[in-house]
Amino acid sequence: MKKGIMIFLLVISVSFLIMGCSAGEENDGSSVADSLENTQKVEVTSLESSDATTISDNNDIEEFVDALKVDEWELEDIPSEASEDKTFKMYQQDTVKLGESENQNDDLNEVATMTTYKDVPNVKFDVESLSLSFKVPDEVAEYLNSKINN
C-alpha cells in the first residue's frame, strides 16, 4: 500500500514539474502577434496631415495583424537621422473580471503604440512602459506607410 502511494505521488510530482517547465516556452514572436489579434480598434495618424484612419472591422484588423509579419521583425535601433511618419494606436477592451458582465465596461483602452519612420523600414513599438525598436521587412514598411491613404 505504501509503495503504491509513493509511486502515485511520484507520478503526480513529475507531471506538475513537466507542466511547469513547458508553461514558459511560449515566449516567441507569435505571442506578440496573438496579443495584437485581440486589438479591437487601430487609429492611424500622420504627422504631415490632420487626416486619420480608424480600423475597427474584425476582418480589417485581422488583415492588419497578418500584414505586420511580426515573426520577421528584428531588434534594431532607429537610425538617428530618421524622422517619424505615422502613429498606430491600438485599443482593446478591458478583460472581463469575475463578477462583471461583458457589457459592463465597453470603453476601449490604448494598449500599444507603433511609430513608423520615413524612408527607413523601422518601427518603434511601445507597450506599457516598454519601448522596442525593430527593423521590419520592406513589404511591411510599405504596407504601414500606405495605411493613411486608404
Side-chain angles (χ1 to χ4, degrees):
M1 181 72 173
K2 286 184 180 181
K3 189 174 184 180
I5 292 174
M6 292 300 286
I7 291 174
F8 176 73
L9 290 175
L10 179 65
V11 169
I12 295 295
S13 298
V14 170
S15 298
F16 281 122
L17 179 65
I18 290 172
M19 287 188 306
C21 291
S22 66
E25 292 179 5
E26 297 181 25
N27 192 13
D28 59 4
S30 66
S31 63
V32 173
D34 290 342
S35 65
L36 289 177
E37 287 176 354
N38 294 328
T39 300
Q40 294 168 307
K41 180 173 90 170
V42 179
E43 287 181 351
V44 185
T45 56
S46 175
L47 294 177
E48 291 183 354
S49 71
S50 60
D51 292 340
T53 302
T54 300
I55 305 169
S56 58
D57 179 68
N58 288 339
N59 292 332
D60 293 341
I61 290 174
E62 186 177 327
E63 175 189 316
F64 175 76
V65 171
D66 289 343
L68 292 179
K69 299 181 183 180
V70 174
D71 56 332
E72 296 179 26
W73 292 11
E74 298 176 12
L75 281 173
E76 182 179 286
D77 289 336
I78 306 294
S80 59
E81 69 278 355
S83 58
E84 292 184 357
D85 189 23
K86 294 182 177 47
T87 302
F88 296 77
K89 292 184 180 183
M90 293 153 220
Y91 296 85
Q92 292 179 0
Q93 192 172 19
D94 276 343
T95 303
V96 177
K97 297 174 181 67
L98 185 64
E100 291 182 352
S101 68
E102 285 190 37
N103 298 330
Q104 192 166 355
N105 186 3
D106 290 336
D107 295 336
L108 295 178
N109 299 314
E110 184 179 328
V111 293
T113 302
M114 182 172 53
T115 305
T116 63
Y117 295 84
K118 294 179 186 175
D119 303 322
V120 292
N122 294 80
V123 298
K124 180 175 73 171
F125 195 81
D126 297 309
V127 60
E128 293 185 14
S129 62
L130 182 64
S131 181
L132 299 169
S133 301
F134 296 95
K135 179 177 181 174
V136 297
D138 289 336
E139 62 269 12
V140 173
E142 290 172 16
Y143 172 80
L144 291 172
N145 286 328
S146 71
K147 283 316 286 179
I148 199 80
N149 301 326
N150 290 345

